[in-house]
Amino acid sequence: MIKKIIFFLFFSIISLAQQVELKSVEKVIINDKEKSTISISQNYDKKTRKLEVLYIEKGLNPYTSKTFIQYDKDGKKELNNEEYRYNPSTQKWEKDNKTVTTYKNNKEIVRTYDAKENKWNEYMKYENENTRNSHTSITYSFQNKKWLPLTKTYILLNKNKENTLIEDYTWNKNNKKWELEAKSVYTYNQDGKLKEIVGYKKENNWIANQKLKYYTDENGNKVYSNFLFEDGKWIEQDRTVLEEDKLNNKKITITQKLNQETKKLENYYHSIETYKNDMIEQELVYFWDKDKKDWKKSNEQNYFYNEDKKLIRKQD
C-alpha cells in the first residue's frame, strides 16, 4: 500500500523550460561485460509547441525510438504524446504507443493507446479530479469496445494540501460497485511535519500491516524507517538517513536494509550529491560490497549549465 521509491537518475522528461535547453545526453552502461551506449537528443519547436525526442541504444540489444509531444497554447500542459520505434528489418518507423490528454474544469482525462498492425488501439484510461480538499483517480480498461472501471484511489487533504488519508478501491464486476481494499493514514507533528504513515489491509477486520516513520535524529539528520507488522510486532525493514553537509554543499543519503538471516540492518545504498548555487553539479552512487565490507562505486553523473543556469548536459 505504502509506496517507497528510490530514484536512480539517468534521464527523465523534466520541466519544459529545461527540455528546451537540454539538447542531448549520453550514458554508457556495462552489464555482465556487455557494453551498451544510450543517447537521447531532442528538439523543441516554440512556434508549434512540439517536442521531438530521439532515443538510440547501441549494443547487444539495439533499439531506436522517437517521440513527439504536443503541448497546449501556453506550452505547459501535454496534449498528445506519440512514440514510434524503428524496425531495422523493414527500415521503417512503426507505431508503438500514444497518450491523449484532455482537460475540463478540475478533471484531467488521459487515454492511452497501443499499436497492432501499425494501427492505434484504445488501451487504458485514467481520470483525475481535484477539489479543494481531495483528489480522486480512476483507472479504466478498454474491453469489448467499452471502458470498464478497474481501480480507484481517493486522497483526502488537509488545509495545507497534504495527504491525511489514502483509500484504494477495486471494482466489483458482479455487484457493480467499488470495494475498499486498503488505506493509509497520515499523522503530522505539532510543527506540521509528517510524522508517520500507517498502512491498513482488510482481512476480517482492518489490520495495520505497514508503517513509515519520519523523524530527526540526534545529529539533525532526517530519517525515515519502514516497518512491517509480523508475528505480533513491528519489525524495521529498512532505514534511510538524509544528511545535509552545508559546509561542503553536499547532500548524503545512506540506506540500510534488514538482513533476513541476522535480523539486523546492513548497509545497502549510498549517494553523495554536490551542489553549487543550489544547482546539483555531481551525483555519486555506491552500493555496499558484502564481501569487501566497503562501498563500491556504481555511477557518477556530472551536470553542466549555461549562463542562464539551465541544464544543458549530463555526463558520466
Side-chain angles (χ1 to χ4, degrees):
M1 170 62 184
I2 300 174
K3 301 175 179 64
K4 274 188 59 188
I5 303 173
I6 297 178
F7 291 95
F8 298 97
L9 180 63
F10 166 44
F11 180 90
S12 59
I13 299 299
I14 49 181
S15 69
L16 185 57
Q18 287 180 312
Q19 285 177 2
V20 176
E21 298 294 336
L22 183 58
K23 299 298 183 182
S24 64
V25 61
E26 183 172 289
K27 183 177 181 67
V28 177
I29 300 175
I30 300 177
N31 290 320
D32 299 327
K33 298 182 179 180
E34 293 291 342
K35 181 179 178 181
S36 62
T37 301
I38 296 174
S39 63
I40 301 175
S41 59
Q42 58 186 33
N43 180 62
Y44 180 68
D45 188 326
K46 292 183 179 180
K47 185 177 181 180
T48 62
R49 302 174 303 282
K50 180 175 286 187
L51 177 69
E52 180 178 348
V53 182
L54 178 64
Y55 176 99
I56 302 175
E57 181 172 348
K58 299 178 181 179
L60 185 62
N61 299 301
Y63 180 82
T64 302
S65 70
K66 61 180 178 181
T67 304
F68 299 95
I69 304 174
Q70 179 66 58
Y71 292 89
D72 66 358
K73 62 180 182 180
D74 297 321
K76 296 180 179 180
K77 293 182 178 180
E78 183 177 309
L79 300 177
N80 196 78
N81 185 315
E82 296 184 7
E83 182 175 346
Y84 298 79
R85 64 178 182 273
Y86 185 72
N87 188 329
S89 299
T90 62
Q91 296 185 340
K92 293 182 179 180
W93 290 99
E94 298 177 350
K95 295 177 179 178
D96 191 11
N97 62 79
K98 179 174 75 166
T99 62
V100 177
T101 306
T102 56
Y103 305 88
K104 185 177 181 181
N105 299 326
N106 295 323
K107 183 177 289 188
E108 174 193 78
I109 302 175
V110 181
R111 289 179 170 85
T112 68
Y113 301 76
D114 59 9
K116 295 180 180 178
E117 297 179 352
N118 211 31
K119 294 182 179 179
W120 296 122
N121 296 281
E122 291 179 298
Y123 180 56
M124 301 287 288
K125 181 173 70 169
Y126 307 90
E127 291 184 357
N128 302 300
E129 186 172 9
N130 295 308
T131 67
R132 186 175 62 180
N133 61 354
S134 68
H135 176 77
T136 304
S137 299
I138 302 177
T139 302
Y140 301 82
S141 175
F142 195 73
Q143 301 176 26
N144 300 321
K145 297 183 179 181
K146 62 180 180 180
W147 293 107
L148 298 178
L150 295 178
T151 63
K152 180 174 75 169
T153 298
Y154 171 78
I155 302 175
L156 181 65
L157 307 173
N158 61 20
K159 62 181 180 180
N160 297 321
K161 302 298 181 181
E162 298 167 321
N163 297 344
T164 60
L165 174 69
I166 297 181
E167 295 179 333
D168 287 337
Y169 297 80
T170 57
W171 181 254
N172 188 313
K173 296 181 180 179
N174 298 322
N175 298 331
K176 304 295 182 181
K177 66 177 184 179
W178 293 107
E179 294 183 348
L180 183 60
E181 296 289 338
K183 61 182 179 180
S184 292
V185 177
Y186 289 65
T187 304
Y188 298 84
N189 61 23
Q190 293 181 346
D191 297 326
K193 295 181 179 180
L194 182 61
K195 178 181 178 182
E196 187 177 81
I197 307 174
V198 179
Y200 296 82
K201 65 178 181 179
K202 190 174 183 180
E203 294 182 352
N204 294 328
N205 297 307
W206 285 103
I207 299 175
N209 67 321
Q210 188 174 4
K211 177 168 63 176
L212 284 176
K213 295 185 67 175
Y214 298 81
Y215 59 95
T216 302
D217 64 15
E218 63 276 9
N219 297 316
N221 301 320
K222 295 180 180 180
V223 183
Y224 64 85
S225 296
N226 177 36
F227 296 81
L228 292 180
F229 194 73
E230 299 176 343
D231 301 324
K233 60 182 179 181
W234 290 104
I235 299 177
E236 190 172 15
Q237 304 296 310
D238 55 76
R239 180 190 303 164
T240 297
V241 179
L242 308 174
E243 176 186 350
E244 189 169 354
D245 183 354
K246 294 183 179 180
L247 181 63
N248 297 300
N249 295 317
K250 296 181 184 294
K251 292 182 180 180
I252 302 168
T253 302
I254 296 179
T255 298
Q256 294 180 311
K257 296 182 69 174
L258 179 67
N259 184 312
Q260 296 297 333
E261 296 181 356
T262 64
K263 300 301 180 182
K264 294 182 180 180
L265 292 176
E266 296 181 348
N267 288 334
Y268 173 68
Y269 170 85
H270 178 37
S271 70
I272 302 174
E273 296 178 352
T274 303
Y275 289 80
K276 184 177 181 180
N277 298 326
D278 295 326
M279 296 184 296
I280 186 170
E281 283 194 327
Q282 184 186 67
E283 181 185 28
L284 302 175
V285 175
Y286 302 83
F287 285 94
W288 186 252
D289 189 319
K290 292 183 179 180
D291 297 326
K292 296 182 180 180
K293 298 186 183 303
D294 197 5
W295 293 108
K296 182 179 180 180
K297 187 176 177 180
S298 172
N299 185 49
E300 176 180 337
Q301 191 87 55
N302 295 286
Y303 300 79
F304 301 89
Y305 303 84
N306 63 14
E307 295 179 352
D308 297 324
K309 298 182 180 181
K310 300 294 185 181
L311 182 64
I312 57 174
R313 184 160 56 95
K314 301 178 186 178
Q315 180 178 312
D316 284 352

